[in-house]
Amino acid sequence: MKLDQLQYIIEVAKTKSLTMAANNLNVTQSAVSQSIASLESELGLPIFIRSRSGVEPTKEGVSIIQTALEVVTKLQEMKERVLRLSQIMQAELRVASIPGVMSSLVKTVSNFKNEYPDVSFRITEENSDNTLNAIRQNKVDLGLVGMRGDTAKGTGMLFEPIWEGRIVIGVWNNSPLAAKKKITPFELQKYSLALYDESYVHDFLHEFEANYGPLPILFTSNNPNAIATALKESLAATIGYDFSFFDSPYALNGSLVMLEIEDVEQVPIHLGWVRSDTSKSSQISNLFIQRFKQHFQVKR
């Protein structure tokens, strides 16, 4: 039994004519007739009978034709899925991320490329506000950002939270604070800070200063090496959400220590993925987001 034989009996059943079926399939009438005769011989059953009104299926033929239609339809669906998958797996995915979770992102990309080597990635490091703007301008497909609430709602973008974070203090292991597990707001005011240039960090500072007074800021930067140098040389501590330190090589090797802040009420912030709600890369984006979530949640 061959695929073309199934296609021939389906077309003959539809047109009720060997001639019309052959024309529609761009083959000769004899090819259609011989193919059907061969299939009938193989099955040991007649599929069609000829009458004055044309070619009609037999009782057995109706069942055979219906099965053939189901088989051909399934094969066509499979071909279409394989074609879509092939196109998806050769896509380019443009991803922007806040600096603090860049290590987690890079590890996910590496693992993803092992499974789907034909997918290409373009990664940029941006703060959350710049990432949202880049998505609006179609310069980025996916953004890994920090958000307070669902601030993407009604903006033409989708936001999928994956972690609810809290602000912590990061110090080097040679700092006098490293032996502590917690720090009070008034103790924190005694230390200079090197900060990420992130909107959620600035929001926390404004709220903190409104309740406790100003904090001494050494500098603000989105360069992790600059901030790490300030911590390592005991020039400053840093402030960030806990998820910013999870995959940091400094935190993993014990060089960077995280402290909780006592008695400070915090507005929760969510780490999550944002993208346009009309993203053309939605299938590959969904797949990549799932891989990141698996990595991130296992690491916790």
Side-chain angles (χ1 to χ4, degrees):
M1 186 180 300
K2 298 178 181 178
L3 179 60
D4 58 358
Q5 290 176 313
L6 302 183
Q7 292 170 328
Y8 290 170
I9 63 173
I10 291 169
E11 193 63 28
V12 170
K14 183 168 64 175
T15 61
K16 297 184 178 181
S17 166
L18 293 173
T19 302
M20 290 180 62
N23 290 338
N24 292 344
L25 295 169
N26 294 315
V27 295
T28 64
Q29 180 180 334
S30 62
V32 172
S33 181
Q34 291 173 14
S35 179
I36 292 175
S38 176
L39 181 58
E40 289 176 327
S41 176
E42 180 181 346
L43 296 176
L45 293 169
I47 299 173
F48 294 103
I49 56 174
R50 290 175 174 81
S51 67
R52 292 183 179 180
S53 59
V55 181
E56 295 286 345
T58 63
K59 180 179 178 181
E60 297 84 359
V62 170
S63 177
I64 293 170
I65 293 164
Q66 180 59 39
T67 301
L69 183 59
E70 292 172 0
V71 170
V72 170
T73 300
K74 290 295 183 183
L75 285 173
Q76 185 60 36
E77 290 174 354
M78 184 183 71
K79 288 179 181 179
E80 291 172 358
R81 283 198 300 269
V82 169
L83 178 60
R84 288 196 300 270
L85 184 61
S86 175
Q87 292 170 341
I88 290 169
M89 290 302 101
Q90 295 179 24
E92 178 190 56
L93 202 54
R94 302 167 298 172
V95 185
S97 171
I98 54 177
V101 288
M102 185 60 74
S103 295
S104 300
L105 177 63
V106 169
K107 290 177 182 179
T108 304
V109 168
S110 177
N111 292 333
F112 196 85
K113 287 281 289 184
N114 289 335
E115 190 172 355
Y116 303 105
D118 292 331
V119 177
S120 61
F121 286 88
R122 182 145 46 101
I123 298 175
T124 55
E125 188 177 82
E126 294 285 357
N127 64 34
S128 298
D129 291 337
N130 288 344
T131 295
L132 294 175
N133 288 331
I135 291 173
R136 292 187 185 101
Q137 297 168 19
N138 195 32
K139 295 179 180 179
V140 168
D141 301 309
L142 282 176
L144 190 53
V145 300
M147 282 192 174
R148 288 190 169 192
D150 189 6
T151 56
K153 189 175 182 180
T155 63
M157 287 187 284
L158 302 174
F159 178 65
E160 181 178 350
I162 59 175
W163 187 267
E164 184 175 291
R166 58 188 176 86
I167 285 283
V168 295
I169 305 302
V171 299
W172 211 253
N173 59 11
N174 60 3
S175 167
L177 296 173
K180 294 177 172 287
K181 292 185 177 180
K182 297 182 179 181
I183 186 172
T184 68
F186 302 106
E187 287 178 309
L188 184 59
Q189 289 174 312
K190 300 176 183 178
Y191 294 89
S192 296
L193 298 173
L195 304 177
Y196 281 117
D197 186 15
E198 260 291 341
S199 58
Y200 57 74
V201 173
H202 297 308
D203 290 342
F204 175 82
L205 288 179
H206 293 153
E207 292 164 5
F208 184 97
E209 291 176 358
N211 291 307
Y212 302 99
L215 289 167
I217 310 300
L218 181 63
F219 64 82
T220 299
S221 173
N222 269 340
N223 187 312
N225 291 328
I227 294 174
T229 298
L231 271 61
K232 187 175 183 179
E233 298 298 326
S234 298
L235 302 175
T238 191
I239 288 177
Y241 272 85
D242 50 6
F243 54 71
S244 297
F245 302 105
F246 285 154
D247 262 326
S248 163
Y250 302 118
L252 293 175
N253 67 19
S255 297
L256 186 63
V257 179
M258 289 183 288
L259 312 176
E260 294 182 15
I261 309 173
E262 285 188 297
D263 303 323
V264 174
E265 186 175 346
Q266 298 188 28
V267 177
I269 190 168
H270 291 94
L271 173 70
W273 288 100
V274 65
R275 54 182 161 157
S276 168
D277 60 7
T278 58
S279 173
K280 294 180 180 179
S281 302
S282 60
Q283 289 176 291
I284 190 65
S285 297
N286 286 336
L287 189 57
F288 182 73
I289 287 172
Q290 290 305 312
R291 293 294 190 276
F292 181 88
K293 288 170 64 177
Q294 291 168 7
H295 166 80
F296 200 75
Q297 290 169 358
V298 166
K299 291 292 291 183
R300 306 292 65 77

